[in-house]
Amino acid sequence: MGKLLDPLDRRILAQLQEDGRLTHRELADRVGLSPTPCARRVRMLEEAGYITGFTALLDEARLGFGFSVFVSVKLDRQIGDQLATFEKAIALCPEVVDCWLMTGNRDYLLRIAVADLAEYERFLTGRLTKIPGVASLESSIPIRRVKGRQSRLV
C-alpha cells in the first residue's frame, strides 16, 4: 500500500484503535464492508506498516507499578557510539517504559515505572547512574495524568 490512506482505511484504523479485539465481521459491519474485503484491507495495512501490532493496555498501578518518574538525561558527549551505548543499556532496563532521544538541553527523556520511591532510588543509584557516559540526570515526579492517549485519526 504505497499510497495515502483512503477514507475507508482511516475508518478501519480508527475502529481498531478504539477496540483492537473486534472480529473481522464486527469491524466490517462498523465500516460498511463485507468481512473478506475488510480482512484483506487490515492485512494490507499491517503489511504496509500502518498497523504495527495489537496489544492490551494494562493498568500499571494495579500491576504494582504505580509510581512514575520522568528523567531527563544528559550525556558527556552526544556522539554515535555514546548514544548507542546508552540506548543498549536502557533497552535492558525493564523499569524504563519510554525512552526518547531529545533536542534541547537534555539528550534523552525517560519514563520510569516502579512500585514506589524506594524502588526508583534503587534503580537510579544501582543502574541508571552507572551507565557509561551519563553526565547528569534530572528527575520529575508527576502528580497525576491529565491526558493520555495515542494520536487519533478521527
Side-chain angles (χ1 to χ4, degrees), residues 48-124:
Y50 290 103
I51 298 172
T52 59
F54 292 90
T55 187
L57 300 175
L58 306 177
D59 184 324
E60 288 179 343
R62 289 189 69 135
L63 292 167
F65 305 105
F67 192 79
S68 282
V69 182
F70 291 94
V71 181
S72 295
V73 179
K74 185 161 183 57
L75 301 179
D76 290 336
R77 297 172 302 168
Q78 194 180 39
I79 57 174
D81 63 333
Q82 204 162 36
L83 296 173
T85 297
F86 180 80
E87 291 173 13
K88 284 178 188 170
I90 287 301
L92 298 175
C93 299
E95 301 88 348
V96 178
V97 293
D98 281 305
C99 177
W100 296 84
L101 178 63
M102 304 295 289
T103 63
N105 297 345
R106 299 298 176 142
D107 297 314
Y108 290 93
L109 178 64
L110 313 176
R111 184 171 74 84
I112 313 300
V114 290
D116 54 28
L117 187 57
E119 187 177 346
Y120 173 64
E121 181 184 9
R122 284 191 297 278
F123 169 72
L124 179 69

Side-chain angles (χ1 to χ4, degrees), residues 13-14 34 76 84 125 133:
L13 292 174
S34 58
D76 290 336
T125 59

Side-chain angles (χ1 to χ4, degrees), residues 127-138:
R127 297 199 58 187
L128 192 55
T129 58
K130 294 180 179 177
I131 296 174
V134 171
S136 65
L137 302 166
E138 182 179 313

